[in-house]
Every structure is written in C-alpha cells, then in structure tokens.
Amino acid sequence: MSNQSYDPRVNRLKLGNADDPIKVEEGENWNVYEVFHQEKRGAHHEHVGCVHAPDPQLALVFAKEQFGRRKKCVNLWVVRSADILAFDLEDEDMFANNLEKTYRDASGFKVMDKINKFKGEAVKPPKA
Amino acid sequence: MYGGGYIFDEPNKKQLREEQQHDDPEKLAIFEARISKGEKIEPGDWMPAEYRRQLTRLIEQHAHSEIIGALPEGTWITRAPGFKRKLALIAKVQDEIGHGQLLYNAAETLGKSREAMINDLLSGKSKYSNVFNYPAKTWADVTVIGFLIDAAAIVNQVANAKGSYGPYCRALERICYEESFHLKQGHDALISLATGTPMQKAMLQDALNRWWQPIMHFFGPPDKVSQHSEKLMQWRVKMASNDEMRNQFLDTYVPKLWELGLTLPDPLLHKNIETGRWEYTDPDWDLFFKVINGGGPCNQERLQVRRWAEEEGRWVRKALMNPKERRALPVA
C-alpha cells in the first residue's frame, strides 16, 4: 500500500494487505466476567456490566479501567459469567407475592389499633 | 460516538424470510404487547428472529464505530496543542474504546461471539460509521469531530437509550453520561479556534467546509428512500427517523456555529419558520454509498490499522489464554 496517512505513527507501521483478511479464532478474546461495583464502604456491590479477560486478576484490572474511571468507586468484584447460577426466566411467576401473605410483612401487624383501643377503655387514674 | 441512522444490511435476505416463518404468532403477540407497554426485552427472553438479527447488526456496528472512531482522533494525541488538550483527548479516546467494549458485550448477549464480530469487521462484511472514513488533516478537524460528530452521536444515542433491548439501553446510559464531557471539550476547543487568530479561524472554517457533507450524511439517507421500516420503529429498535434526527441536530447546532461567525458550505441551509424544519441541499448520496462500500479516502487505512492491532496483539492474547476455561455469554 502506498502509505499516505496523516498519522506519522501509521506511516511507520508495516501494514499488510487489507484484501488478505486474518481470522480471529473463537475464544481468542478470552472469557467473560461479570463486574460488581461498590460506591462506598458498607454499600452493596452492584452489577454494572462485564469484561473479557483471561483470568480473574486481569479481569479486575480491566474492570477498574472500564467501570472505575469516573464515578466514585472503592471496590470491585469480578466473577466468571459461567459461574453465575440463576433461576430460569420462565419461572418468574414463583416470586409473585400472594396478597394473603401479609403475615410475612411488617404491615401485616396492626398493634397500634389494639393499643389505642385498650387505652381508650382503660379507667383513667384519679388525680392526685 | 456512533454511526447515525444508517444500518448496513446484507443484500441476501432469503434465509431470514425462512426463519421468520418459524416465529410463533402467539409468542410474537406477547412480545409486541410487552414492547408497547414500554417493557424492556432481556437476553433470555423470547424474541422474533428478525428482532435479534437487526439488533445484533445495530449494536455491533455501533461498537465497531466506537473503536474505528478512536483512530482519526488518536492520530492527534501526540500533536495536541498543549497539555490540557492532550489530557482531554487521551481521556476521550480511552472512553471511546471503553464504549466499544460495553457495546460488544451488549451485542454478545444476543448470541454472536466477540470474535465473529471482529472477523466481520476485518473482512468488510460488517460496517462502521461512514464519517470515520475521512481523515483528520489538522487540529481543527479534531475540534470539529469532538464537537459536531459527538453532538450528532448524542442525538442518536439519547434516542436509542429509550429503545426496547435492556442491555443496549444500559450500555447507552453509561455512554451518554461520558459523551457529555466529549461534547463540552470539543465545543471548548472549537471556540478557542473560532475566537483565535485569523489563521486559526481560517483553519477551522476549512475543516468545517470539508466535514459538512460527511456530517449531513451522518444520520443516513432521507426518509423517502430509507428502507428501514415501521416494524423496527414498532419494536423500538429504531427510535426516530433519519430526517427527524438530522433536523434535531441542525436545530441545536447550526445556530451555535453561526453565532461564532462561521459559515456552512450550503447556501440553501436555513430554518423554515412556518414548518419549523430545516431545509438544505441534499448531500450526494451516491458518494455516501460509494464510501460505505470501501471507496472513501481512509477505508483501507482504518481496516489495516485495526487488523495490524489484532495480528500484533495475538501472541499476548494467546500467551494469557487458558484453553480449559469454560466459556459463556454475558448474563445481562
């Protein structure tokens, strides 16, 4: 190629012929890791995305570049995407909340009604 | 930044039509009802074959555009005028590469591997934004790219962020947040030239004249000839028509150029007060298609540089690779 680039660095490269394509093999770009970001000490780590890396150590390095370069970050976790175990999306209905399960919720217990009723009925103590 | 309204489509659609016939009409109805309610579609959900194919193309080409788009700007890192501009440009180029990674991940959730996408880019099967087939001749070009191309990209990305595919929307939210810095630093650098010495002004005007046609091409062919259909709009893959986005861009940014005393090389360019829409000379669409198909000034150089990086980096990737790793797609 007659190299006419405006970039002197490109002109210094020995560029091959574009008509002779190379093939990237499956797996060459490594494996996928999910990334969890912690904004401040004591906060939950939250899933923010993923990176490609050959091992967990490099996954952390790439995660820092990708997800830690702007907003506040004090810690990151990475875990191989293949190691994530999740429920089937089709089973979503098993999480449906039965309205009659208020016995599981704080709102299912109305103590103030009883306390107020009790106080109203109680004989007031005579004035000293 | 991103490639605008034009999504390159493969000419042979025969196989696709056969696949589409296998879409279960009942599932399709549920899918379409979910989208019309504003729900997001997630990776494991059922989706029509055509939805998957179009989204893969869209996100993949967006990812390629981020990576290739960093090349004309990266050229100028070593020659940026001053330390602050150099720092900002390095940060911007790093952001663009990061955006490419986010988008490749989003595309992978649809089932296409990272390697297959890179192979399709290198062989020319998969396209990237046409604007990056033009060279950045002077520093003024970098300011025009940083301000106007990024502005155009933001118009597109803000629209797409409201689309129906969850992983793409989440990637775009993060991207748009960072693009606001790109736009601001580009505007700042452009204003420095526009309010500078006569030589700086002339350099900027020259760059603007050269970039105007590629910028008008950015959002893709006019609606009257664009084949991208109502179906993509209904499925919230495409969020606004090419002409709508172009009009929105002109409406916001042409006044910002005119107020600096700059001119644009189109005597017909003006806003029609009655319709509220901008009118302009139709750019050369034959040239647009010629450049997409490899005939632009930098197509060869861009792909050769990308290919060089892939080849020269191979031994590092291989040395670090563990062939026994159990591989998977991103989960979300």
Side-chain angles (χ1 to χ4, degrees):
Chain A
M1 153 185 179
S2 59
N3 208 328
Q4 293 294 326
S5 178
Y6 287 107
D7 189 341
R9 298 167 311 160
V10 170
N11 286 328
R12 285 195 293 271
L13 298 178
K14 290 190 184 72
L15 292 175
N17 188 353
D19 300 332
D20 178 26
I22 63 159
K23 192 170 181 302
V24 183
E25 290 163 39
E26 285 296 317
E28 222 186 290
N29 276 263
W30 304 324
N31 213 349
V32 190
Y33 287 79
E34 302 294 324
V35 181
F36 298 81
H37 167 274
Q38 190 185 34
E39 201 178 286
K40 57 181 183 197
R41 279 298 295 275
H44 289 291
H45 282 71
E46 277 182 24
H47 182 252
V48 282
C50 43
V51 291
H52 278 244
D55 58 50
Q57 282 76 26
L58 262 179
L60 269 181
V61 173
F62 294 150
K64 177 177 172 288
E65 287 301 308
Q66 180 71 289
F67 297 102
R69 71 175 186 269
R70 273 225 174 65
K71 284 183 176 166
K72 200 163 179 278
C73 179
V74 295
N75 192 250
L76 291 165
W77 288 347
V78 292
V79 59
R80 277 202 314 179
S81 304
D83 291 340
I84 302 249
L85 183 64
F87 283 110
D88 224 16
L89 286 166
E90 286 170 14
D91 295 337
E92 193 184 323
D93 57 352
M94 73 179 164
F95 296 108
N97 221 334
N98 186 335
L99 290 175
E100 283 161 32
K101 272 165 59 168
T102 53
Y103 61 86
R104 279 185 181 274
D105 280 336
S107 64
F109 298 87
K110 311 270 186 214
V111 292
M112 284 315 288
D113 294 353
K114 289 184 191 127
I115 292 174
N116 290 334
K117 192 173 169 228
F118 173 76
K119 280 184 178 169
E121 283 171 1
V123 183
K124 283 173 187 162
K127 278 174 191 169
Chain B
M1 55 179 68
Y2 168 51
Y6 184 72
I7 319 169
F8 180 81
D9 201 355
E10 286 169 56
N12 183 2
K13 293 184 183 161
K14 185 166 168 266
Q15 187 199 345
L16 168 80
R17 278 196 295 273
E18 281 165 12
E19 270 177 42
Q20 263 178 300
Q21 285 166 358
H22 297 143
D23 280 344
D24 180 339
E26 219 171 283
K27 286 181 176 166
L28 182 65
I30 297 170
F31 169 86
E32 289 185 340
R34 284 183 63 196
I35 289 181
S36 65
K37 272 189 286 182
E39 281 181 35
K40 301 284 181 196
I41 306 301
E42 294 295 336
D45 294 349
W46 184 91
M47 58 186 87
E50 176 67 354
Y51 179 83
R52 185 184 297 277
R53 193 185 72 95
Q54 294 280 8
L55 262 177
T56 307
R57 266 172 357 97
L58 170 73
I59 306 173
E60 176 184 350
Q61 288 177 38
H62 190 168
H64 294 329
S65 302
E66 301 282 354
I67 302 291
I68 298 292
L71 297 177
E73 291 186 296
T75 298
W76 280 91
I77 288 175
T78 52
R79 293 168 288 166
F83 191 57
K84 192 184 163 197
R85 297 275 181 234
K86 192 191 287 271
L87 279 177
L89 190 57
I90 291 172
K92 178 176 194 283
V93 168
Q94 187 192 24
D95 282 351
E96 307 293 8
I97 300 299
H99 297 172
Q101 302 288 330
L102 291 173
L103 292 161
Y104 281 130
N105 280 328
E108 279 171 80
T109 63
L110 291 160
K112 186 166 182 179
S113 75
R114 175 82 58 111
E115 291 84 357
M117 289 189 263
I118 295 173
N119 283 330
D120 284 351
L121 170 69
L122 294 178
S123 73
K125 186 177 169 215
S126 177
K127 304 298 179 190
Y128 53 87
S129 180
N130 215 25
V131 280
F132 305 125
N133 288 319
Y134 293 88
K137 265 170 100 170
T138 69
W139 173 252
D141 292 57
V142 180
T143 71
V144 170
I145 295 172
F147 183 44
L148 294 180
I149 304 287
D150 278 73
I154 289 173
V155 168
N156 195 300
Q157 287 169 164
V158 167
N160 281 1
K162 299 185 189 87
S164 61
Y165 190 55
Y168 188 40
C169 299
R170 289 191 287 272
L172 285 175
E173 254 172 55
R174 188 169 278 269
I175 289 170
C176 288
Y177 170 78
E178 297 183 351
E179 292 281 354
S180 60
F181 142 71
H182 299 177
L183 182 67
K184 206 67 194 278
Q185 67 86 34
H187 199 188
D188 187 75
L190 183 131
I191 288 170
S192 288
L193 295 183
T195 59
T197 64
M199 203 194 252
Q200 285 176 318
K201 283 182 207 170
M203 184 168 79
L204 177 59
Q205 185 60 59
D206 174 56
L208 206 50
N209 293 347
R210 279 184 286 110
W211 280 92
W212 190 245
Q213 174 131 301
I215 287 171
M216 291 300 284
H217 283 154
F218 185 86
F219 293 102
D223 295 349
K224 56 180 191 276
V225 300
S226 180
Q227 73 229 114
H228 286 298
S229 58
E230 295 153 31
K231 202 70 194 169
L232 292 186
M233 293 260 201
Q234 188 201 333
W235 285 346
R236 297 176 76 82
V237 171
K238 194 166 171 53
M239 296 301 292
S241 82
N242 297 354
D243 285 341
E244 278 167 37
M245 286 189 290
R246 190 162 20 240
N247 194 64
Q248 195 190 332
F249 168 78
L250 294 172
D251 208 34
T252 314
Y253 293 98
V254 171
K256 289 187 198 297
L257 297 170
W258 282 349
E259 76 183 7
L260 294 167
L262 297 161
T263 60
L264 294 167
D266 179 359
L268 294 185
L269 182 71
H270 73 282
K271 186 173 180 171
N272 183 329
I273 303 297
E274 279 170 28
T275 61
R277 294 188 74 82
W278 285 76
E279 289 169 9
Y280 43 83
T281 314
D282 218 18
D284 181 351
W285 292 109
D286 293 337
L287 176 71
F288 172 77
F289 288 108
K290 187 186 143 207
V291 174
I292 280 189
N293 289 312
C298 293
N299 298 56
Q300 256 219 330
E301 179 186 327
R302 300 285 181 249
L303 286 184
Q304 281 180 327
V305 169
R306 184 66 196 83
R307 192 191 119 117
W308 179 88
E310 208 58 40
E311 265 179 332
E312 296 298 309
R314 173 170 273 165
W315 70 272
V316 181
R317 294 195 305 274
K318 288 215 159 156
L320 291 168
M321 199 161 87
N322 176 2
K324 288 182 197 146
E325 276 275 85
R326 188 158 55 100
R327 294 184 26 90
L329 293 174
V331 260

